[in-house]
Amino acid sequence: MLIDTAGRSQNDPLRMTELRAYLEQARPHEVHLVLSGTSSQQVIDQILERYSDLGVNRVIFTKLDEAVGFGVILTSLQKAAVQLSYLTTGQDVPEDIEVGRASRVAELVLDGRL
Ligand SMILES: Nc1nc2c(ncn2[C@@H]2O[C@H](COP(=O)(O)OP(=O)(O)OP(=O)(O)O)[C@@H](O)[C@H]2O)c(=O)[nH]1
Ligand SMILES: [Mg+2]
């Protein structure tokens, strides 16, 4: 079963507390945090830090088609103890979602394009 929660700002402590309480009750097997591949490393670091006690164990990077580079994916995975689950590369469903493979991340970082 997939539960899609509403997006929550890492700067909104009340909503983060609500989400934490919700996840404690739902006790999901996996918690996938959706991050935009267009965000700066600084923003992503802050999101990962503030979401770290919510049991996040997977990340999805979206909007790679709008990103300028892909280094944030690699850096974020190195810094946080999370696994990459999916990548998205556009607005077409389901064509633009793919499993987040290490080889694909390596290609993206080295080539600098999709
Ligand atoms: N270009 C592009 N647009 C994307 C991608 N992924 C999502 N979007 C667009 O981003 C917008 C927001 O997507 P949603 O799926 O509503 O995002 P969400 O995280 O569920 O948002 P909330 O539930 O409001 O927190 C939509 O217009 C999507 O089409 C992507 O990989 N590339
Ligand atoms: Mg949504």
Side-chain angles (χ1 to χ4, degrees):
M1 189 191 297
L2 174 74
I3 304 173
D4 178 22
T5 63
R8 291 301 185 223
S9 163
Q10 79 277 15
N11 293 320
D12 187 334
L14 179 62
R15 288 201 167 85
M16 290 289 287
T17 300
E18 284 173 1
L19 181 58
R20 188 179 297 107
Y22 180 79
L23 289 170
E24 277 166 15
Q25 292 298 314
R27 300 203 294 128
H29 293 101
E30 296 174 2
V31 180
H32 299 240
L33 176 64
V34 182
L35 297 168
S36 170
T38 67
S39 299
S40 68
Q41 190 66 56
Q42 210 181 353
V43 168
I44 288 181
D45 286 350
Q46 189 184 66
I47 295 171
L48 286 168
E49 200 254 307
R50 296 199 179 156
Y51 269 85
S52 62
D53 67 340
L54 273 79
V56 170
N57 47 27
R58 306 278 194 284
V59 291
I60 298 171
F61 273 94
T62 65
K63 303 195 178 179
L64 301 195
D65 56 309
E66 294 183 5
V68 171
F70 305 105
V72 285
I73 303 173
L74 192 59
T75 306
S76 306
L77 295 171
Q78 280 174 335
K79 283 187 183 177
V82 289
Q83 221 177 291
L84 178 66
S85 54
Y86 295 96
L87 298 171
T88 77
T89 57
Q91 292 185 300
D92 290 331
V93 179
E95 292 85 353
D96 292 335
I97 185 164
E98 59 185 88
V99 171
R101 295 197 174 80
S103 57
R104 175 73 153 132
V105 175
E107 266 171 31
L108 289 169
V109 172
L110 293 173
D111 287 356
R113 57 190 164 82
L114 285 182

